[in-house]
């Protein structure tokens, strides 16, 4: 079945609205923090427009503020964002084989936790336009939020800002809970992942591992274990 | 703050984009191994 690009794009925009709103809230706090780290409003917005990644951008602020080396910045980004590598690999299997190859270069820019989760959970092959739709809402949300945060950030009390940060988690729950309800194996895996991350946060030795590295270790370990114990049957594989 | 802020921004943008772009463009074939397929399915 050939899907209509425009329709896919509209569907992506619609489903991307919660992502865009969540990004607006999170990047708002990024904007404030960026300004406090000594960047200008323009530079903060530029970072958001070019990177579209929350953890990596927040981490970059501390490296930039501490005048770290370029190598240090590159390495920290590589480690924190290495999970995107796994997501892109997964997406490479999901993209509609009939779609022209150049789409992959543009889709790559939009690989974030949320856009990936939504793209990969669509039924059947993934139309690039579905991802573009999400990007058309998410990228302006992320960039605009940064701008608003950087401009108006000094007005709001810190308490309100941390409350906005919770929005990201709520949005993420909205993405992972529906598939978990349909698939018991997924639900169990998600619970294990949550348990393991708690262990990594509090257990001695384990808690010394940086959060970026932690995400990579847990993702690789849990996905490998699940793939070994419960191989996906041919028909539901992406 | 020493170092050029714009160079910082460019470095991070480049690293982040390459991480996302390389797997998506280099893996053109369908992956045959059921283990790898299952692994990628569970990545989210």
């Amino acid at each position: 079945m050939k899907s209509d690009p425009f329709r896919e794009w509209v569907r992506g925009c619609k489903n991307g609205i919660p992502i865009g709103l969540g990004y607006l809230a999170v990047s708002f706090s990024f904007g404030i923090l960026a300004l406090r780290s000594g960047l200008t409003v323009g530079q903060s917005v530029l970072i958001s427009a070019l990177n579209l990644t929350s953890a990596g951008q927040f981490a970059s602020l501390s490296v930039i503020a501490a005048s770290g080396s370029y190598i240090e910045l590159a390495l920290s980004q590589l480690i924190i964002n290495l999970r995107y590598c796994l997501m892109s690999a997964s997406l490479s299997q999901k993209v509609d084989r009939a779609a022209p190859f150049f789409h992959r270069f543009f889709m790559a820019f939009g690989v974030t936790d949320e856009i990936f989760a939504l793209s990969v959970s669509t039924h059947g092959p993934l139309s690039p336009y579905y991802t573009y739709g999400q990007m058309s809402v998410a990228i302006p949300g992320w960039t605009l939020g940064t701008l608003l945060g950087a401009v108006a950030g000094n007005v709001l009390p810190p308490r309100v800002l941390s409350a906005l940060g919770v929005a990201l988690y709520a949005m993420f729950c909205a993405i992972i809970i529906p598939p978990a309800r349909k698939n018991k194996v997924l639900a169990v895996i998600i619970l294990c992942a949550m348990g393991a991350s708690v262990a990594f946060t509090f257990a001695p030795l384990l808690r010394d591992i940086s959060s970026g590295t932690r995400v990579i270790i847990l993702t690789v370990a849990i996905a490998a274990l699940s793939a070994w114990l419960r191989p996906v049957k041919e028909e539901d594989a992406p | 703050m020493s170092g050029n802020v714009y160079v910082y921004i460019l470095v991070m943008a480049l690293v982040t984009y390459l991480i996302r772009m390389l797997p998506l463009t280099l893996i053109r074939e369908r992956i045959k191994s059921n283990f790898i397929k299952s692994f990628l399915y569970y990545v989210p």
Side-chain angles (χ1 to χ4, degrees):
Chain A
M1 196 180 68
K2 196 94 180 89
S3 50
D4 174 23
F6 183 68
R7 263 204 178 150
E8 284 293 316
W9 183 77
V10 170
R11 191 168 73 93
C13 287
K14 263 191 205 154
N15 293 345
I17 289 172
I19 299 180
L21 291 176
Y23 281 7
L24 198 70
V26 177
S27 62
F28 194 87
S29 39
F30 173 77
I32 295 156
L33 217 64
L35 224 65
R36 282 199 197 141
S37 309
L39 296 174
T40 66
V41 174
Q43 289 164 344
S44 323
V45 173
L46 194 64
I47 293 184
S48 282
L50 292 179
N51 288 278
L52 196 71
T53 169
S54 66
Q57 286 185 203
F58 279 103
S60 77
L61 290 182
S62 50
V63 179
I64 295 175
S67 295
S69 66
Y70 298 134
I71 303 284
E72 191 185 345
L73 180 68
L75 271 182
S76 72
Q77 295 301 307
L78 180 72
I79 293 170
I80 294 168
N81 292 333
L82 206 58
R83 65 183 192 287
Y84 292 142
C85 196
L86 297 174
M87 293 179 197
S88 284
S90 179
L91 219 51
S92 77
Q93 300 297 298
K94 179 79 180 169
V95 183
D96 189 356
R97 319 278 303 163
F101 190 72
F102 71 86
H103 282 304
R104 295 185 174 214
F105 289 98
F106 296 108
M107 290 172 80
F109 186 74
V111 176
T112 67
D113 303 57
E114 294 77 15
I115 294 177
F116 166 74
L118 201 57
S119 296
V120 91
S121 63
T122 189
H123 189 73
L126 168 67
S127 159
Y129 293 94
Y130 182 51
T131 303
Y132 293 158
Q134 297 167 45
M135 288 163 73
S136 333
V137 179
I139 296 174
W142 186 248
T143 315
L144 185 70
T146 308
L147 179 67
L148 295 177
V151 171
N154 301 324
V155 185
L156 288 176
R159 215 177 278 179
V160 178
L161 298 177
S162 67
L164 286 173
V166 178
L168 184 71
Y169 299 105
M171 177 187 57
F172 211 71
C173 286
I175 294 175
I176 59 171
I177 290 176
R181 286 177 70 168
K182 273 186 230 151
N183 187 337
K184 280 234 174 68
V185 179
L186 272 187
V188 172
I189 291 170
I190 290 171
L191 286 176
C192 290
M194 288 163 96
S197 349
V198 170
F200 269 63
T201 311
F202 295 108
L205 283 178
L206 291 181
R207 68 174 167 222
D208 297 330
I209 302 169
S210 74
S211 63
T213 322
R214 197 186 294 162
V215 170
I216 298 164
I217 297 176
L218 285 176
T219 309
V220 171
I222 294 171
L225 197 69
S226 317
W228 179 52
L229 294 174
R230 287 262 184 283
V232 180
K233 276 181 241 99
E234 207 51 48
E235 63 268 31
D236 15 278
Chain B
M1 231 182 339
S2 72
N4 189 327
V5 178
Y6 294 99
V7 180
Y8 276 125
I9 298 176
L10 211 68
V11 167
M12 67 185 286
L14 203 70
V15 172
T16 311
Y17 180 68
L18 286 179
I19 294 170
R20 289 164 163 161
M21 186 269 279
L22 292 178
L24 202 53
T25 49
L26 292 181
I27 309 175
R28 308 174 81 145
E29 302 298 313
R30 276 243 168 268
I31 294 175
K32 298 270 170 7
S33 154
N34 202 33
F35 173 78
I36 297 179
K37 269 200 280 196
S38 304
F39 177 83
L40 292 176
Y41 173 79
Y42 285 123
V43 161

